[in-house]
Every structure is written in structure tokens, then in C-alpha cells.
Amino acid sequence: MDAVFNGTFITLGGFVDMDKYRYIYFVILLTLYILILCTNCTIICLIWIHRNLHEPMYIFIAALSLNSLLFCTVIYPKLFIDVLSQKQTISHSACMFQYLLYCSSGVSDFLLLSAMSYDRYVSICKPLQYQTIMGKRTVIVLLTLAWFLPACEVLVATVISSQQKLCRFTTGGIVCNNTIFRLHCVKSEFLTVYGLFVIMNVVVVPVMFILFTYIKIFIITYHSCAKVRKKAAETCLPHLMVLFSFFCLVLFDVIIARLESDLPKIVRLIITLQIAVYSPLLNPIIYGVKMKEIWKHIKRLFCRPVNKRI
């Protein structure tokens, strides 16, 4: 009976002192999830409602917030169940499904940021051609590539990994991320090579493209007037801050996968929680505060004057 159970379910062994801190974990995670939902939904609704925000840059920001909602919904509901349960387990099929959504939604952020950097490049460096280049069709194509290209590439790794024989049934994490590959009896060379290909394709290349476009923008604006430099800083700085947070997310995930046996359990837990909190919560705050038009609508939403009766 145990063999059948172990062959069907995987134990998530990354939690620390569950019996002692069970309800503290639950309250903290629930609070974070509510904050993430509220902040990202606010950004999406503001961009959806106000017509002056129906521009490519703000559409990509809304897509990032939508992506954050998907990413967190993949993680948090299962965490709520785990912290309130005596055993933190997940079926193998559900684990692979979580891995698919976790990785595809995570890395698609890089492609969305690439689309945003291209939009800024065209807006600042080719302003007269902006309406022609960044039309509705271009935005749809960029959004489609950002969401479906990572999903298709991660799906291949997911299908191959699900067919591998398992010799271990306990992971050192709290979610099904890249640590699931350590459960395989035999390390697949194809998955290793293919994983590097995916990282190069949807992480390294987009990051290099983003850095290239922003370098070009800063070179051009350096020789322009102060007004142009200010506009470039207001729109590009938030994107670079978000890029840094996303890069840390992927870097932390790789660290967990490669150094799982060498890292203390509490360190692995903290790193994983940073992945689930850092970008989804800070991104809408960064865009809400740093993007002038969005911040203007946020102030109007929460700082409406009270009508006084005479």
C-alpha cells in the first residue's frame, strides 16, 4: 500500500516547524495573497476603465499584472491547503501541472518586458513612426508570443519529465518547481540540454534585448533636451526595476534546483517565499507609484473629496 501511495503522491518537504507555526504561516500567506490580488486587480481595472490608458505600454503593464495573478493562483491556494494539513502531499500529475503553469507564467514575464522595452524604444527613438509600428496587430502578436511561446516550450519539458521513472518521492521545496527533476532515477541529458535552450530562448535573449534597447534609449536621450530625458527616466526606470525582480526570481529558482541538498531548509523556504511574493506584490506598487498616469488615477480613486452639505 505504501509503495502505491509513494508512486502516486509526492511529499513537499520544504516546510519548517509546521506544527508550531501552522496558523502563523496561514495568516501571513493569506494576507500576502489578498494584497497581491488587490494591487494587481487595481492596476488591471484602472487600465481597463480609463481610455487614456488604452495604449500599448499600459496594456503590457496590465498583462504583467494578469500574469502575476495567474502565477500566484498556481501557488497560494495549494499552500493554504498544505499549511492546514497534517501531510503536505501532491499527486504526481497535479505536481506536473503546477510546474507547467509555474514556469510558463514566470518566464513569460521576460517576453512581456521585452515587448515593453520595444514599445519604449519606438516611442522615444522613432516617435513619428510610433502609431504605424505599434498598432493593434503588433500588440496582439507580442502578447500572443509572450504567453504561448513559453507555455509550448515548458509543455515539452513537462511531458518528458512526467514520463520519467521516480526513485525519490520527497522534494525539498513547497511548490513543484525545477526541484522535481531531482526525483528522477536517471538524470536526463535531453532535459538538461533542453532546459538550457529554454532559458536561453525565453530568459537570456529577452534580457539582452531589453538591455540593448534601453542602452540605445539612454544614448539618444543623453543628447536630447531635459524634458525628453525626464520622460525616458519616468517610463524606463520602472521597467528596469521590474526586470531586476524577475531576474532574481529565475536566479533563485535555479539556485534552489541546483543547490537543494547544500542549502539549509529554512534558506530554501525563505527563497521560495521571496519568489512567490517579490515580483507579484512589488510590480503593481512600482508601476502604480512610478508611472505618472496610473498614479494619477490611483489618487483619484482613493482620495476622492468628500462633498460637504451646506
Side-chain angles (χ1 to χ4, degrees):
M1 185 68 181
D2 290 340
V4 174
F5 178 82
N6 287 339
T8 306
F9 288 87
I10 295 171
T11 300
L12 302 172
F15 293 94
V16 178
D17 293 331
M18 282 297 297
D19 295 332
K20 187 177 181 181
Y21 301 112
R22 185 183 308 278
Y23 296 106
I24 296 177
Y25 281 146
F26 180 79
V27 172
I28 292 175
L29 290 174
L30 181 61
T31 303
L32 290 172
Y33 189 48
I34 292 174
L35 287 174
I36 290 170
L37 289 178
C38 292
T39 52
N40 283 282
C41 286
T42 299
I43 296 295
I44 294 172
C45 290
L46 287 175
I47 294 173
W48 178 274
I49 293 171
H50 298 284
R51 297 186 64 85
N52 67 319
L53 299 181
H54 293 181
E55 299 178 4
M57 177 178 65
Y58 299 111
I59 292 173
F60 293 135
I61 291 174
L64 276 174
S65 291
L66 185 61
N67 219 41
S68 295
L69 292 177
L70 173 61
F71 181 78
C72 292
T73 303
V74 170
I75 298 175
Y76 280 86
K78 181 63 173 69
L79 288 179
F80 296 152
I81 296 173
D82 288 334
V83 297
L84 295 178
S85 303
Q86 294 299 320
K87 293 184 178 180
Q88 292 74 46
T89 60
I90 185 172
S91 68
H92 183 244
S93 57
C95 186
M96 298 310 303
F97 183 67
Q98 187 184 56
Y99 167 79
L100 171 63
L101 295 180
Y102 174 89
C103 291
S104 60
S105 60
V107 299
S108 65
D109 289 330
F110 286 100
L111 296 180
L112 289 172
L113 284 173
S114 298
M116 294 170 69
S117 68
Y118 179 67
D119 172 74
R120 291 300 83 204
Y121 171 77
V122 176
S123 175
I124 295 174
C125 301
K126 299 181 180 181
L128 298 179
Q129 299 174 310
Y130 180 77
Q131 296 297 332
T132 303
I133 297 175
M134 294 302 298
K136 183 177 180 180
R137 179 176 297 181
T138 303
V139 173
I140 293 174
V141 170
L142 292 175
L143 288 175
T144 302
L145 287 175
W147 275 319
F148 285 97
L149 180 61
C152 292
E153 292 186 354
V154 177
L155 179 62
V156 174
T158 304
V159 172
I160 296 175
S161 178
S162 64
Q163 296 174 348
Q164 300 293 311
K165 184 179 179 181
L166 303 182
C167 286
R168 295 176 57 194
F169 304 98
T170 301
T171 70
I174 60 176
V175 296
C176 292
N177 51 16
N178 287 317
T179 57
I180 61 174
F181 296 120
R182 299 175 68 91
L183 304 180
H184 298 164
C185 296
V186 179
K187 185 178 180 180
S188 173
E189 293 184 2
F190 174 80
L191 282 176
T192 301
V193 175
Y194 184 74
L196 292 174
F197 166 76
V198 172
I199 291 176
M200 287 292 298
N201 194 22
V202 296
V203 177
V204 177
V205 172
V207 169
M208 296 300 293
F209 176 78
I210 293 169
L211 294 178
F212 171 77
T213 55
Y214 283 142
I215 289 173
K216 293 282 289 184
I217 289 172
F218 290 139
I219 290 175
I220 292 174
T221 55
Y222 179 77
H223 300 286
S224 302
C225 62
K227 184 178 180 181
V228 175
R229 290 197 297 269
K230 182 180 179 181
K231 178 184 176 182
E234 287 177 350
T235 57
C236 294
L237 183 60
H239 300 166
L240 291 175
M241 294 170 66
V242 173
L243 173 65
F244 175 76
S245 69
F246 284 141
F247 184 77
C248 289
L249 183 150
V250 174
L251 182 63
F252 289 163
D253 197 56
V254 172
I255 289 174
I256 291 174
R258 300 301 178 186
L259 303 177
E260 179 183 350
S261 59
D262 301 325
L263 291 174
K265 198 172 183 179
I266 185 63
V267 174
R268 295 199 302 268
L269 177 63
I270 292 173
I271 291 176
T272 305
L273 289 177
Q274 283 184 348
I275 294 172
V277 174
Y278 190 50
S279 294
L281 184 58
L282 290 184
N283 291 347
I285 295 176
I286 291 173
Y287 285 122
V289 174
K290 292 294 184 180
M291 301 302 288
K292 185 177 179 181
E293 290 299 320
I294 296 179
W295 178 240
K296 186 188 303 181
H297 289 295
I298 291 176
K299 288 194 295 184
R300 288 176 181 175
L301 179 63
F302 293 102
C303 301
R304 294 179 181 272
V306 179
N307 293 326
K308 297 182 178 180
R309 292 183 180 181
I310 299 177

